[in-house]
Amino acid sequence: MKLLRYGAKGSEKPGLLDADGNVRDLSGIVADISGDALTPEGLAKLQAIDPASLPLVEGKPQGGLRVGPCVGQVGKFICIGLNYADHAEESGLPVPPEPVVFNKWTSAIVGPDDDVEIPRGSKKTDWEVELGVVIGKPGRYIAEKDALSHVAGYCVVNDVSEREFQIERSGTWDKGKGCDTFGPIGPWLVTADEVTDPQNLKLWLEVDGKRYQDGTTATMVFTVEKIVSYLSQFMSLQPGDIISTGTPPGVGMGQKPEPIYLKPGQVMTLGIEGLGAQRQKVVAAQ
C-alpha cells in the first residue's frame, strides 16, 4: 500500500495511490497519515478497504496534483550519520563503532517536489539521498529481532545539509541539518509489507541531470533492524516518527578535486527503488 498526502501546503489531505497511479481520498476514513493511522491496527483497517470504493482525486500525483510530505504531525525526525562505510571515507571520517545520531527539526519537512532553500549566508549546501523508516508500532527497549515489526513503512528522504553550519561552526551537527526545507519526504509512504528487504534497495541522486549518488542499502554499516533497536534504548519511538538512515557516497562535500555545492536554479532529482522519486528546485531563502 502506498499512502500519501496531497493538496496545498498546510492543508494536505490523506490519500492512497491505487494500482493505476491515481489518488484515492482517505479523508472520510482517517484524519491524516499520522499517529494511530500508522499503527498495525490502523494500517490493517486501511488495507481492508477496496481502493475503488474511495473517491477519486482529480489530477495526477506529481503531475499537476501536489504531493505533500507523506507523513503528517511528525513527532521526531531522527537521523543516522556516516552509516555507509564508503560515505564515511569520502567525508574523511572513521566508520563509527555505534550509530551517529542527530536530529532534523520537524519544521524542515516539506513535500517531495517542493523547493529547497539555500539558507542566508550559506556557501556549502549539500544533498543526501536516504532511506526513511516510519515507525508504526510504538515501543522502547526493542529487541533487534522484533525491530521490523515496529516499522509502518519506508519513504525517500533528502537529508539536505549545510556543511559549514554542520561541521565548521562548532557544536552539534543539528544546526546544519534542520534548516527550513532541508527535509523533503515522500512521495509515498510504502508500507512495510511491500518492501521485501530494506537492505537491498537501490538509491540514486542527480543534480541538473548529472548522477552523483548511485548506491544500495546493502552497504549500510548498521541495518534498519539495528538502528530501530538502538534508538529505542535511548527514547521511546512513536507512530509517525521518521528515521533517516544515512547516505551512500557521492555527496557534494566528497567530490574531487574540489567539493561541489548547490546553487540557486539547480534541480535535484532522487529516488529509491520501489519507493518513488523526488524533484526539488533550489532557491535562495528570502
Side-chain angles (χ1 to χ4, degrees), residues 104-124:
K104 292 179 92 74
W105 318 124
T106 55
S107 53
I109 295 173
V110 292
D113 305 319
D114 293 342
D115 291 347
V116 164
E117 297 181 356
I118 295 181
R120 292 182 184 182
S122 167
K123 298 176 183 176
K124 298 181 178 181

Side-chain angles (χ1 to χ4, degrees), residues 33 35 76 105 114 119 170 176-177 197 204:
I33 306 300
K76 296 192 285 295
W105 318 124
D114 293 342
S170 78
K177 292 286 192 171
D197 183 1
W204 59 273

Side-chain angles (χ1 to χ4, degrees), residues 254-265:
Q255 298 303 307
K256 307 297 182 187
E258 297 290 336
I260 297 172
Y261 295 112
L262 293 165
K263 298 180 177 62

Side-chain angles (χ1 to χ4, degrees), residues 7 10 28 57 60-61 101 111 149 199 210 223 247-248 250 257 261 267 274:
V57 178
K60 282 291 184 181
V101 181
S149 70
Q199 303 308 145
K210 177 178 172 57
T223 64
T247 197
Y261 295 112
V267 174

